[in-house]
Amino acid sequence: MKPAPFAYAAPRTVDAALALLDDDSKALAGGQSLVPIMNFRLARPARLVDLNRVDGLAYLRRRAGTLRIGATTRHLTVERSALVARAWPLLRQAVRHVGHPQIRARGTIGGSCAHADPTAELPVALAALDARFHLRSRAGSRVVPAPEFFVSHLTTALRADELLVEIEVPALPEGARTAFVEYARTHGDWALAGVAVVVAPQHAAIVLLGAGPTPVRAAEAEAAAVAGAGNAEVAALAAALVRDPWKRALTSSLVGRALAEAGR
Ligand SMILES: Cc1cc2nc3c(=O)[nH]c(=O)nc-3n(C[C@H](O)[C@H](O)[C@H](O)COP(=O)(O)OP(=O)(O)OC[C@H]3O[C@@H](n4cnc5c(N)ncnc54)[C@H](O)[C@@H]3O)c2cc1C
C-alpha cells in the first residue's frame, strides 16, 4: 500500500516545527509506527513535519540528579548508554524488548511515548519510574506526569499543535533494584503481557503492560510490597487487575519473576 499524498517539511528548530503543526499535520520521528499506519491509510495527514533535522532534540543527559531524554533520541542510544545502564537500568531492561535492532536504530523514545501503544515497553517503564513529559506548543510549555500523559489506547495528552520535547526521569530511590519481564510469542514481537518493577526498602512501583488501554499501575500490590507481603501475594494482587483469566495467570507469573529478578 502507498500513503495518500502529503506535503513534507523538514524544519531545523523546535520553533519552526511548532509553527507548522496543526490539526492536519503530524510530526514524523522514526517513522516506525506512523509510516505503516499511513501506508494502510489509517492516517492521512496533509503534511508531515519531520523532526529528524531539528537541532537539539536528541540527547541523554543528567541534570540535577534527573535523566533528561530528548524526544528524538533513538531506542538504540538508550540501550547503549552507560549512564542509563548505571543509574536507570530499567530503561535498558525495557528497551531491549522493542522490536528488532533495525527498529531500535530508527524508532525514538518520543515517538514510542506519543504513539502510546498499550503493549509498548517504554511507556510502562517510564510510568514505573514516575517520568514527567515536557510538551511545547506555540502558546507555551507544560509538564505532564505519566498517569496524565497516557490517556487511552493510542491517545496521549498531546494536542495536535504540541510536541513532546523531553522526558524527565527522577533518580531511583536509594538501594532500588529493577526488572522488566514480558511474554511475547516470538522474540521482538509485540508483547501479550509484561511488567516493570522498581523495588527499594520503602518503595515499590509495579506497572503492567497489556492489562488495559494505558500502562496500569498496581497500587494495591505496591502497598503490599512496601508492607512486607511475600512475592506470591504481591503478584496475585497485581494480576487481579487483569480481567482475562488466562492473561491473569500469565501476569501473576511475570510479576513473580520480575520481583525475583529484582532481588526481592
Ligand atoms: C515490525 C515492528 C515491530 C515493532 N515492535 C515494537 C515493540 O515490540 N515494542 C514497541 O514499543 N514498539 C514496537 N514497534 C514500534 C517502534 O518502537 C516505533 O519506533 C515507535 O512505536 C514509534 O516511534 P517512532 O520514532 O518510529 O515514531 P513515528 O512512527 O515517527 O511516530 C509515531 C507517532 O508519534 C508522533 N510523534 C513522534 N514524535 C513526536 C513528538 N516528539 N511529539 C509529538 N508527537 C510525536 C507521530 O506524529 C506519530 O503519531 C515496532 C515497529 C515495527 C515496524
Side-chain angles (χ1 to χ4, degrees):
M1 291 275 307
K2 286 190 176 155
F6 58 88
Y8 172 84
R12 299 289 178 141
T13 65
V14 171
D15 285 334
L18 290 173
L20 294 164
L21 277 179
D22 58 23
D23 286 345
D24 298 322
S25 55
K26 277 250 166 226
L28 173 71
Q32 298 300 298
S33 296
L34 183 56
V35 170
I37 287 171
M38 287 175 63
N39 285 345
F40 282 113
R41 304 212 171 188
L42 296 169
R44 294 165 173 253
R47 175 165 52 202
L48 283 188
V49 180
D50 190 344
L51 302 181
N52 287 281
R53 290 190 204 156
V54 172
D55 276 340
L57 262 189
Y59 55 85
L60 274 176
R61 60 176 80 110
R62 192 199 283 267
R63 194 193 306 158
T66 65
L67 175 67
R68 304 300 183 113
I69 310 175
T72 58
T73 305
R74 312 276 173 201
H75 298 317
L76 212 54
T77 308
V78 170
E79 188 177 347
R80 291 180 174 167
S81 158
L83 170 65
V84 167
R86 196 170 56 246
W88 288 274
L90 181 62
L91 290 176
R92 185 161 190 265
Q93 291 158 346
V95 82
R96 297 169 86 170
H97 293 282
V98 175
H100 303 282
Q102 293 89 333
I103 290 155
R104 300 201 289 276
R106 283 303 303 166
T108 67
I109 306 302
S112 197
C113 293
H115 187 57
D117 188 297
T119 59
E121 288 83 2
L122 283 158
V124 171
L126 288 165
L129 292 168
D130 296 317
R132 287 151 42 95
F133 295 81
H134 292 242
L135 317 185
R136 267 185 66 186
S137 69
R138 289 187 292 278
S141 47
R142 60 188 179 125
V143 182
V144 181
E148 288 162 36
F149 182 78
F150 298 108
V151 172
S152 187
H153 185 256
L154 304 182
T155 309
T156 68
L158 276 163
R159 295 192 311 258
D161 66 341
E162 270 180 322
L163 278 182
L164 170 60
V165 289
E166 185 179 82
I167 300 164
E168 174 188 349
V169 189
L172 283 173
E174 195 61 37
R177 304 274 305 266
T178 65
F180 191 98
V181 174
E182 69 173 34
Y183 175 78
R185 283 210 177 89
T186 55
H187 180 72
D189 221 346
W190 292 92
L192 294 176
V195 61
V197 303
V198 180
V199 287
Q202 289 307 315
H203 176 90
I206 301 173
V207 180
L208 305 179
L209 174 156
T214 62
V216 171
R217 188 123 200 175
E220 228 183 304
E222 292 174 352
V226 171
N231 285 357
E233 187 188 336
V234 174
L237 281 168
L241 294 168
V242 179
R243 290 173 80 179
D244 176 328
W246 176 79
K247 223 175 177 187
R248 194 181 310 136
L250 174 63
T251 302
S252 177
S253 106
L254 293 174
V255 175
R257 258 182 57 199
L259 292 168
E261 269 186 29
R264 189 173 186 277

